[in-house]
Amino acid sequence: MKSVLKTGVLALFAAAMLGGTAASAKTLVYCSEGSPENFTPALNTTGTSFDAARPVYNQLVEFERGTTTVVAGLAEKWAVSEDGKTITFNLRKGVKFHSGVNGFKPTRDFNADDVLWSFNRQWKDDHPYHKTSGGKYDYFDDMDMPKLLESIEKKDDYTVVMKLKEANAPIMANLAMDFGTIHSAEYADMLQKAGKLEQLDQIPVGTGPFQFVAYQKDAVIRYKAFDAYWGGKSKIDDLVFAITPDPTARLAKLKKNECQVMIAPRPADLEEIKKDANLQLLNQPGLNIAYWAFNTQKAPFDKKEVRQAFNMAIDKAAIIRDVYQGAGQAAKNLIPPTIWSYNDSVKDYPFDPAKAKAMLEAAGVKTPLEIDLWWMPVQRPYNPNAKRIAEMMQSDLAKLGINAKLVSYEWGEYRKRMQQGEHLTGQLGWTGDNGDPDNFFFLRGCTGARPGGQNLTKWCNKEFEDRLIKARGISDVKERTKLYEEMQAIMKEEAPDMTIAHSVVYEPVRKEVKGWKISPFGRHEFYGVELN
């Protein structure tokens, strides 16, 4: 494995750092913010890991780059039955898989067996790979796919029939998400016979526009254009992820042409970027939310009044002003105002420390009160500086006799511990995956409140849950909108979290980069991009 990781990587990385040489060789270097956990999207929930896997894979249906429109992927066409419970996928023929860099090479084209393998791994406990690499499929589980699916069957080599137990309005948009990635069943079988199951998740083989070459942990990921890609060969020959956690270092590399695209600039650097004639600064309102979750299964946050009081204790306007610096707006709902069904009539909690203190006293909370306040160790598109926000919250809380201990862990460990419910309070956020409100509201659903689930508030409210489930079974947008508006009012009253901000997403790229599009879902996709 080590020889695979190191062969050619350092040489390529050094060449990429020469800037102009990399560009003229049609090598695009992307300054990413972190290391992937692995290269199997079904196992992950973060954009960092999704971005690293996307060049390699396809889904049955996909989002047209830079839009919320679902288009054909590995399924050339599909048909939904009148009752909405049966979806028939007609698969593309002649789609080739990459060669594995570990000596294992698929010998056949993509077909229905690969589709069944990819979904059954997540769904079926007896699947040979179900427990591999930790065996946690949070997207698949938290979106209630196990309850929704009746069957997935192979009609013939190029026809798959998916049957649902009930109609589901967002199903096609959901299937375009990363958990719907299709693997090579043949490659998996080869690894299984060799006793190397976990290599599937570390040395990916897919049908995507780029083929995986090597990964040097915490440093660089290398891909090359796949000549036989069914959509046509990429306009760039090589793709390099230069893993650069520090935003100041990312910008320095961009300015020196050591990378041509970067993620998540600091708000304080935006003016400098705008003035650089070699850079272009793209932006759009983010389909995202930054929030502070209260663990409602632990005292004193098991009381609604306490959660409401904590909302009033924090100077949100100061956070927006000092941390987001014009690159975000205060959030009062879980969904951003750019998504249909946004309930603008919901009133946010005011910053009112005196009332917050009185409410805490009325709820029987005695001070001094000791709590923990977890902050993310990484910069995210929805949150440019979680530590600074935590420090500002800590200061506001101290004025009420609340001592907040600041806690953080390595990014993967942080999310794992929060999903298990170890925190009392903690920051996280979300960038929408498909443009449907359900993709945000499932974050507060009862299924995700389980240990290990993505509902970090561990809040399970029957009124909210009933509407969440009902909305999934309705195709009429007006009816769904009414339910979602009611759910936002319930959430604000129950206050399982404090909604902090919706950010504006900025992405600086070199002037030489053509065809770059900001994804509404925070994706970084390189097929279709070219360098002059």
Side-chain angles (χ1 to χ4, degrees), residues 289-292 376 382 411 414-415 418 426-430 456:
I289 178 69
Y291 61 78
W292 182 30
M376 298 178 298
Y382 49 76
W411 183 220
Y414 179 89
R415 289 180 298 99
M418 280 197 75
Q427 290 185 66
L428 207 71
W430 189 255
L456 304 183

Side-chain angles (χ1 to χ4, degrees), residues 338-378:
T338 49
I339 287 190
W340 59 272
S341 81
Y342 182 81
N343 189 345
D344 198 33
S345 66
V346 167
K347 302 298 182 186
D348 203 2
Y349 291 100
F351 174 49
D352 191 338
K355 187 172 181 180
K357 187 172 184 178
M359 288 182 69
L360 290 172
E361 290 175 356
V365 175
K366 299 186 183 303
T367 55
L369 173 68
E370 306 289 331
I371 70 165
D372 61 40
L373 200 172
W374 292 32
W375 57 273
M376 298 178 298
V378 295

